[in-house]
Amino acid sequence: GTTLGASAAEQGRYFGAAVAVNKLSDSTYVGILNREFNSVTAENEMKWDATEPSQNQFNFTSGDRLVAHAQANGMRVRGHALAWHSQQPGWAQNMSGSALRQAMLNHVTRVATHYRGKIDSWDVVNEAFDDGNSGARRNSNLERTGSDWIEAAFRAARAADPGAKLCYNDYNTDNWNWAKTQAVYNMVRDFKARGVPIDCVGFQSHFNSGSPYPSNYRTTLQNFAALGVDVQITELDIEGSGSTQATTYGNVTRDCLAVPRCNGITVWGIRDTDSWRASGTPLLFDGSGNKKQAYTAVLNALNAG
Ligand code: G3I
């Protein structure tokens, strides 16, 4: 293939990008998006603060624009994210206990119902585990409603949209030896054993000097897949530039291709200037929209797969 999406499709996979809906009026941006990618994730527009700014008053305007763009261009949509400790609307930040639990479940149900039939995979729960060496859950208002909040969210999502794949998504879960990775692995194993509806695990893969691409990344993907879930690389960006960065991008791509259940890669933005990071050049296209060495490394890896 000659584009990321076409080459990934030849390997039975998709290649996606996080999209900021307000950039859909930027012709350079949209030109690259439509040429190269066959999956999109809303960078912010499907999050709780965006979709339910006041309790029980839903706003799907921006999310719907992205879904329409995806459908018009044959792209799949990754929904991001139904339940998360961050980017909650103010009214939810101030809630606790059973009221918060009910509000969260209502949110999951209403959003997943609105998008029923249009979402390939949902990040049902995002970033619920602590960093560091404890392997503990993250202390959040959601966790304080009771540690079964995660499975409750998955059950609500399944009931609302039985056709969507339901994923757990997190960062710093790439290195097989890290406590956080093991903790998420144990949760997924437990969910599969008890019949909690989970279909996939997303590895955000924001790689930088503090959390570099680990040599056991492929092992991690393989071990999760062996639990009976699909795995995806969901928010890929890699600090650096030039051939060093390109090599890492190629390695990540080859690791996914080596794992049959790794069925898609999403980069967290299109041009370096679109990145959420305040500085650096972590993506596949430069600020002018030119292909970088990293792009070529990914494309070559896909075509060699
Ligand atoms: O839209 C408002 C604007 O009206 C306001 O003037 C401006 C002032 O701060 O803020 C704008 O909102 C910002 C929003 O991005 C849209 O640009 C928020 O402040 C800012 O916090 C928000 O950042 C997003 C971040 O998630 C929030 O946690 C990034 O764009 C987004 O890339 C990032 O994505 C996360 C994933 O969802 C989960 N995994 C990590 C990843 C990177 O942090």
Side-chain angles (χ1 to χ4, degrees):
T2 58
T3 66
L4 300 171
S7 298
E10 288 170 6
Q11 306 297 332
R13 279 136 172 117
Y14 68 82
F15 209 98
V19 169
V21 170
N22 62 12
K23 292 179 185 164
L24 290 177
S25 55
D26 174 334
S27 60
T28 304
Y29 183 87
V30 174
I32 300 170
L33 174 64
N34 291 355
R35 187 185 73 223
E36 297 287 344
F37 296 96
N38 53 13
S39 175
V40 290
T41 305
E43 189 175 2
N44 288 295
E45 296 80 354
M46 292 189 189
K47 293 172 179 176
W48 197 351
D49 59 351
T51 50
E52 196 181 0
S54 303
Q55 190 169 13
N56 253 317
Q57 295 190 350
F58 291 84
N59 182 344
F60 297 115
T61 309
S62 292
D64 287 354
R65 279 186 63 199
L66 183 61
V67 170
H69 186 91
Q71 290 183 335
N73 292 282
M75 302 166 176
R76 63 178 90 193
V77 181
R78 187 180 186 92
H80 175 80
L82 292 172
W84 188 23
H85 70 278
S86 182
Q87 280 180 288
Q88 294 180 2
W91 61 266
Q93 292 176 33
N94 293 325
M95 288 178 84
S96 62
S98 59
L100 176 62
R101 174 72 71 104
Q102 284 311 311
M104 179 274 286
L105 293 174
N106 180 59
H107 180 78
V108 170
T109 298
R110 292 286 301 272
V111 176
T113 299
H114 176 81
Y115 287 112
R116 178 166 52 211
K118 298 174 176 169
I119 302 293
D120 178 76
S121 305
W122 264 115
D123 291 331
V124 177
V125 171
N126 195 37
E127 302 176 3
F129 282 80
D130 211 359
D131 294 304
N133 299 321
S134 71
R137 292 283 187 83
R138 179 189 298 275
N139 180 13
S140 73
N141 62 345
L142 292 170
E143 181 68 18
R144 290 189 294 273
T145 73
S147 62
D148 62 336
W149 72 276
I150 298 179
E151 60 192 89
F154 275 87
R155 292 187 199 281
R158 180 69 99 220
D161 185 354
K165 300 270 177 41
L166 305 182
C167 309
Y168 177 79
N169 191 54
D170 214 330
Y171 65 90
N172 284 357
T173 49
D174 317 291
N175 190 321
W176 179 244
N177 297 323
W178 285 13
K180 187 171 175 181
T181 308
Q182 294 295 316
V184 174
Y185 177 84
N186 287 332
M187 179 190 73
V188 175
R189 188 173 53 183
D190 171 61
F191 280 12
K192 293 300 284 183
R194 290 192 295 109
V196 177
I198 185 169
D199 306 304
C200 34
V201 176
F203 296 83
Q204 292 184 11
S205 310
H206 295 289
F207 294 128
N208 58 23
S209 49
S211 149
Y213 164 75
S215 59
N216 59 23
Y217 189 59
R218 187 180 299 192
T219 300
T220 301
L221 299 177
Q222 267 162 352
N223 287 346
F224 275 82
L227 293 174
V229 289
D230 290 337
V231 295
Q232 292 101 20
I233 299 168
T234 54
E235 303 184 15
L236 181 62
D237 52 26
I238 302 175
E239 183 179 70
S241 62
S243 62
T244 307
Q245 179 186 52
T247 298
T248 307
Y249 263 107
N251 287 339
V252 168
T253 305
R254 282 183 285 275
D255 288 340
C256 181
L257 292 175
V259 178
R261 293 197 77 151
C262 182
N263 62 337
I265 299 175
T266 297
V267 285
W268 205 242
I270 294 180
R271 301 161 300 195
D272 286 334
T273 44
D274 299 316
S275 173
W276 67 287
R277 292 197 183 279
S279 63
T281 54
L283 293 170
L284 299 179
F285 296 86
D286 71 19
S288 303
N290 300 307
K291 297 169 181 173
K292 295 167 53 183
Q293 284 185 58
Y295 170 94
T296 306
V298 170
L299 188 69
N300 289 344
L302 290 171
N303 286 331

